[in-house]
Amino acid sequence: AKPSRSSDATFEVAIGKSSMIRIGAFVLLLGVGFFVKYSFDQGWISPTLRVCIGAATGLLLVGVGQYCVARKMQAFAIGLLGAGIAILYFSAFASHYFYQLIATNTAFVLLCAITALSTVLAVRDGVLAVAVLGVVGGFWTPLALSTGTDQQIALMSYLLVLNAGFLLSGMIRKWDVLRVLCWLFTCGLV
């Protein structure tokens, strides 16, 4: 049986619409990115405001991602949650490393809280990708905040708590990949 012309036309329209939406979103993203870069270069937005905008954007994306999880839009939710968590990590890191707005200990607490948030959301919503992002962020934290001094007891204590949390999360959701990642990253840090 030969497909009808109307079904061909409907398929073409659907493909055309989705392509145009993606292209439009990409162009809008580029435009906003260039405007933000220009405003930074001109000094229109202070470092404190930059970090606050980043944190608010991250929290908004996480919130919308949770809304999408509740609406059973899993693929869209994973992207939003991942982007939100990544922006939160970068905002906390930037506030310490680039702008010196917060002390190392405060940045450490914030990064740990973001790791905990990503892990809780991942386990609750069954989103392995967000759990993996939390593992990467959790093991990146001591590297990002390294002062160059020897703090082995603090590092080992942190790794013990971090590994215990991720191993428990992996057991709850039966995500064996978390165990492997924890082992690899722990070996890399020690």
Side-chain angles (χ1 to χ4, degrees):
K2 185 177 176 184
S4 69
R5 289 188 90 13
S6 67
S7 66
D8 288 345
T10 305
F11 178 71
E12 290 171 1
V13 168
I15 295 294
K17 282 183 181 178
S18 66
S19 297
M20 293 309 287
I21 289 171
R22 289 182 181 133
I23 291 169
F26 180 70
V27 169
L28 179 64
L29 182 64
L30 281 177
V32 169
F34 283 124
F35 174 74
V36 169
K37 170 78 169 104
Y38 182 76
S39 67
F40 288 176
D41 292 344
Q42 297 301 314
W44 296 345
I45 300 176
S46 70
T48 303
L49 190 55
R50 293 175 198 178
V51 170
C52 291
I53 289 170
T57 301
L59 290 172
L60 178 66
L61 288 173
V62 168
V64 174
Q66 285 297 290
Y67 175 80
C68 290
V69 166
R71 298 281 183 238
K72 307 291 186 218
M73 296 184 285
Q74 198 73 359
F76 192 54
I78 291 170
L80 291 172
L81 290 170
I85 295 295
I87 290 171
L88 289 173
Y89 273 123
F90 184 72
S91 295
F93 175 71
S95 68
H96 168 69
Y97 187 78
F98 295 125
Y99 305 123
Q100 292 79 39
L101 297 174
I102 59 175
T104 304
N105 290 340
T106 306
F108 177 74
V109 169
L110 284 174
L111 292 171
C112 288
I114 296 164
T115 300
L117 173 68
S118 66
T119 306
V120 167
L121 292 177
V123 170
R124 188 184 76 188
D125 300 333
V127 182
L128 177 60
V130 174
V132 170
L133 182 61
V135 170
V136 171
F139 281 96
W140 168 76
T141 295
L143 295 173
L145 300 178
S146 176
T147 59
T149 61
D150 186 19
Q151 298 181 4
Q152 289 183 12
I153 294 174
L155 177 62
M156 293 305 150
S157 300
Y158 173 75
L159 290 178
L160 177 67
V161 171
L162 189 68
N163 279 305
F166 284 121
L167 292 176
L168 178 63
S169 300
M171 282 179 22
I172 291 170
R173 280 291 179 173
K174 308 230 184 311
W175 290 332
D176 293 334
V177 70
L178 293 186
R179 184 176 60 234
V180 173
L181 288 174
C182 286
W183 183 80
L184 288 172
F185 285 132
T186 300
C187 289
L189 281 176
V190 177

